[in-house]
Amino acid sequence: MSSTPHPLTPIPSEQPLKPLAALPLLGMSLEELTTWVQQQQQPAYRGKQLHQWLYQQGARSLTDISVFPKQWRADLAEYPVGRSHLRYRAQANDGTIKYLLRMADEQIVETVGIPADKRLTVCVSSQVGCPMACDFCATGKGGFTRNLHAHEIVDQVLTVQEDFGQRVSNVVFMGMGEPLLNTEAVLTAVRSLNQDVGIGQRNITVSTVGIPGHIRRLAQHQLQVTLAVSLHASNQALRQQLIPSATHYPLSALLDECRDYVRLTGRRITFEYILLAELNDCPHHAEELAAHLRGFQSHVNLIPYNPISEVDFQRPSEQRVNVFAQGLRDRHIAVSVRYSKGLEADAACGQLRARQETPALHPR
Ligand code: SAH
């Protein structure tokens, strides 16, 4: 376990998306697809057909679209639709399925399908790797490779939807990466998931560890999505011990920005708080956290730590978790506990990395 602060680590900056030779079709709106077919000298109604085939029928290539003229399909056979290839699939006993998907440039991205009652939640990645290097998170251990494009995010949701044969009801940006370091693609993907795939904005959650200025910027878009902020500590010293970037973004500044978000959007924030035994899960931490959040339109989601191999943090006992949660409730803080699913498939929060570490339980 690291206990030293990280004074020299700067906050990673937002990397531009690499331009692509041809813009993949996935992630485009009906209007954009209509413009695209017209540029291809086709009648406008083909835009609607294309939209339907991409988002409802799961077309993986333009040659799949049987309602299109044969010659046109042949001409466009190589045009990128934007679908990934399944590299690996592992199912945990609770039904959670983890997928490794191969992108056009061979990069591997991890995504997770989580069934619960009638719901199907997809935990999507927003980056290949992650530059934030939080101590307790497996993704950060592998470093950062690149931002994902919008179509690569939408593809993850369609892939899970097709594999389960069930409509996706919820999407959480809690896979690999820091979504607010890839805002443009994340916003485009949110638009497409909402308007093209048909997932309600209120059923979409964007989770961030906090990048200065970016939460306020997000508020200006006036989305209905839920913002989740990874707090994980009840004071600055503890937070910067766990999260390198926190050294340059004091807890007080982060909370000020969150307050602005609530004021500007009228929406409450979810604060995620990972529970690490004996480190941040003592009754006085609950008291300290409650003091910060008093009167804040928010909700605390406690996440008992999911073990990763590189560090020796411990998951607290259920009893410690309950005492912590009660400590918050006693101070009128709304709280829930997230016992992550998919643990034995290494598919739980913080366990995502783009390689097959453990033998698959039911590999395909
Ligand atoms: N970068 C974003 C989203 C990625 S992770 C963020 O930091 O919010 C989604 C959630 O899982 C975050 O709250 C993250 O801190 C948490 N997490 C990371 N590693 C974990 C672990 N080992 N056990 C439990 N939760 C973890």
Side-chain angles (χ1 to χ4, degrees), residues 335-347:
V335 54
S336 56
V337 182
R338 182 200 307 166
Y339 278 102
S340 301
K341 295 187 143 211
L343 262 185
E344 77 272 38
D346 266 352

Side-chain angles (χ1 to χ4, degrees), residues 8 10 82 123 152 159 168 201 229 240 255 266 268 296-297 352:
L8 297 176
C123 177
E152 294 171 319
T159 298
V168 167
Q201 277 198 26
V229 174
Q240 70 182 37
L255 289 172
R268 78 174 184 173
F296 209 123
Q297 217 180 315
L352 304 190

Side-chain angles (χ1 to χ4, degrees), residues 14-129:
E14 188 151 2
Q15 300 298 309
L17 283 166
K18 284 206 186 85
L20 298 168
L23 203 58
L25 301 173
L26 207 64
M28 285 193 195
S29 65
L30 177 58
E31 294 73 48
E32 289 165 330
L33 291 173
T34 304
T35 304
W36 185 80
V37 295
Q38 287 175 313
Q39 283 164 355
Q40 310 285 322
Q41 322 304 329
Q42 292 290 322
Y45 71 87
R46 298 233 179 267
K48 202 162 180 191
Q49 291 176 324
L50 181 52
H51 190 267
Q52 157 86 15
W53 278 78
L54 283 179
Y55 296 109
Q56 311 296 329
Q57 314 275 110
R60 307 191 69 84
S61 146
L62 288 165
T63 54
D64 290 347
I65 307 180
S66 55
V67 292
F68 282 176
K70 230 180 182 157
Q71 185 56 49
W72 190 43
R73 273 152 65 193
D75 293 346
L76 289 174
E78 299 302 320
Y79 195 92
V81 158
R83 297 304 308 264
S84 66
H85 296 276
L86 181 63
R87 239 291 285 281
Y88 172 89
R89 176 186 186 275
Q91 183 161 8
N93 291 334
D94 60 19
T96 297
I97 302 183
K98 161 167 121 167
Y99 306 83
L100 294 189
L101 305 178
R102 182 165 50 80
M103 306 290 120
D105 64 352
E106 308 287 318
Q107 291 297 334
I108 301 291
V109 164
E110 190 153 332
T111 196
V112 183
I114 309 157
D117 306 322
K118 289 208 171 75
R119 292 198 316 205
L120 175 58
T121 300
V122 183
C123 177
V124 293
S125 296
S126 56
Q127 298 184 314
V128 182

Side-chain angles (χ1 to χ4, degrees), residues 123-124 126-127 130 132 134-139 172-180 206-210 228-232 239 243 271-276 301 303-308 311 313 315 338 340 343 348-352:
C123 177
V124 293
S126 56
Q127 298 184 314
C130 183
M132 303 309 293
C134 301
D135 251 6
F136 43 79
C137 179
T139 305
V172 293
F173 282 79
M174 296 187 187
M176 295 164 66
E178 170 45 53
L180 295 193
V206 175
S207 177
T208 179
V209 73
V229 174
S230 290
L231 217 51
H232 303 329
R239 192 163 193 269
I243 301 171
F271 287 111
E272 293 162 288
Y273 192 103
I274 185 171
L275 286 169
L276 305 161
N301 194 205
I303 321 170
Y305 168 68
N306 298 315
I308 63 167
V311 279
F313 295 123
R315 171 186 272 222
R338 182 200 307 166
S340 301
L343 262 185
C349 298
Q351 295 186 312
L352 304 190

